[in-house]
Amino acid sequence: MTTTDLPTDRPITLDSARAAGVGPNQLTDLVRDGPLVRPFRGIYLPVDTAEDPEARARAIGMLLPDGATLGRETAAWLHGVDVRPPDRFRDPPMLECLSDREIFLNPLRRPEIRGYLTDLGPGDIVEVDGVPITSPARTALDLARHSERYMGLAALDMFSHAGLITLDEITERIRELRGRRWIARARAVLAMADPRAELPGESWTRLRLHEAGLPIPDLQISLRDGLGREIYRLDMGYHEKQVGLEYDGERFHRTTVEQGRHDVRRREDIENRWGWTAFAFHAGDVLGRRPVVEATVIEALGLSVVPTRRRWRGMHDLP
């Protein structure tokens, strides 16, 4: 099965695939075998365009009803900020649409769309390749308000790290929405937000430590040689104890055996040359039930505390 007869200059729908003689089962095979990806239900893209923001916007624009605005997780994805948790990382991002309550009486209701009725003010909507989406500030604030805390913190960290927002900007917007529903949740995660965080997993790890009542580590620990050149950088750590903490994501650390061996060699070199002991955590440690992160930090820092742990709604135990 090839994509020879399918359109290459635009997203592929079921109708355009049928016109090219390719049925739904064949599309499923093409997604499974790699030539196509399915960013959203009923929409397909050639794999070499899957990460192209313009192609993604065109694909979503084919599904967006008139008068609606893409928001939350979908808008974040189009802004280049992917905050999907590991249990949904291989699934297409949710298609989330906002309808202005001054125009619509009800949120959109379609099987492939999660719709919300909301207030949209001046400056809340921008266009990406002709598709209306919420602005970076509105998107980050919506995720901080309406998502679970680990998702909201990751959104603020990643948007600010990318330079799309400033935390002062979000602080002002939260002040303007004082008393609104879920704004206290946004205020709580804003207090922890840090633009130095480079990956959502780093945000999740910090939040887990915070909720356990443990010391919050410094971020982006630079390890330099005698000439001042940075050789390694730890995700986070405690300077006084020379304890480093790192989040190992699936793609760059847990896909191949060689990735694991490289990480082991790197951490051995860090300990031998700089005296730092670096501990690595993965999604199952940070988002699962077992207190792996808490126990590791308590022992490494020599603390005598009994950690608390809040279960994050919507997460499942991960391997």
Side-chain angles (χ1 to χ4, degrees), residues 34-299:
L36 294 181
V37 296
R38 183 173 69 104
F40 296 97
R41 182 175 177 177
I43 294 288
Y44 301 83
L45 287 172
V47 67
D48 59 351
T49 68
E51 298 303 319
D52 177 13
E54 183 177 350
R56 296 188 298 189
R58 288 201 308 269
I60 300 174
M62 298 177 72
L63 298 175
L64 184 65
D66 290 341
T69 300
L70 294 171
R72 303 195 187 185
E73 187 175 304
T74 317
W77 190 63
L78 285 172
H79 284 303
V81 176
D82 192 344
V83 292
R84 286 173 295 173
D87 64 336
R88 289 196 292 103
F89 191 73
R90 291 181 176 84
D91 298 332
M94 290 188 293
L95 185 54
E96 298 187 285
C97 296
L98 307 183
S99 301
D100 194 329
R101 67 175 74 252
E102 292 190 1
I103 302 173
F104 295 87
L105 295 177
N106 298 295
L108 293 167
R109 300 191 185 281
R110 294 188 183 180
E112 72 275 16
I113 293 175
R114 181 174 293 183
Y116 306 95
L117 201 62
T118 188
D119 297 310
L120 292 169
D124 280 346
I125 301 175
V126 298
E127 284 196 359
V128 172
D129 297 306
V131 179
I133 70 175
T134 51
S135 67
R138 175 61 192 261
T139 304
L141 180 58
D142 280 349
L143 289 169
R145 287 181 69 186
H146 301 291
S147 301
E148 280 293 294
R149 285 160 59 91
Y150 70 97
M151 291 283 287
L153 178 60
L156 293 181
D157 282 355
M158 296 304 101
F159 269 96
S160 59
H161 178 76
L164 296 171
I165 65 169
T166 67
L167 298 182
D168 287 343
E169 179 182 10
I170 302 301
T171 299
E172 181 59 31
R173 295 195 67 144
I174 287 176
R175 185 179 297 114
E176 293 170 356
L177 294 174
R178 180 177 299 172
R180 296 286 190 92
R181 193 177 189 190
W182 307 123
I183 202 64
R185 175 185 292 174
R187 188 180 297 111
V189 295
L190 176 64
M192 284 200 62
D194 193 318
R196 292 178 297 168
E198 295 183 343
L199 294 170
E202 298 173 23
S203 307
W204 304 335
T205 304
R206 288 193 350 266
L207 181 59
R208 179 147 190 167
L209 293 171
H210 169 75
E211 292 187 347
L214 297 175
I216 303 300
D218 193 15
L219 303 187
Q220 307 306 324
I221 308 297
S222 180
L223 301 178
R224 300 176 179 271
D225 64 11
L227 298 177
R229 297 172 299 190
E230 182 176 275
I231 306 300
Y232 298 116
R233 189 148 43 97
L234 298 167
D235 293 342
M236 62 195 83
Y238 303 93
H239 290 275
E240 183 177 349
K241 296 289 186 177
Q242 290 191 296
V243 170
L245 310 176
E246 299 198 291
Y247 181 87
D248 283 357
E250 295 293 324
R251 182 177 178 184
F252 296 110
H253 297 277
R254 293 169 58 82
T255 301
T256 68
V257 172
E258 180 52 37
Q259 286 175 343
R261 290 173 178 166
H262 174 269
D263 287 338
V264 169
R265 292 193 297 267
R266 172 180 173 274
R267 286 165 185 141
E268 287 176 347
D269 193 35
I270 287 172
E271 184 160 14
N272 291 335
R273 294 173 63 184
W274 284 273
W276 281 74
T277 303
F279 297 93
F281 306 108
H282 58 79
D285 299 326
V286 176
L287 300 175
R289 285 193 177 95
R290 296 179 299 117
V292 175
V293 178
E294 296 92 329
T296 300
V297 170
I298 287 171
E299 181 175 356

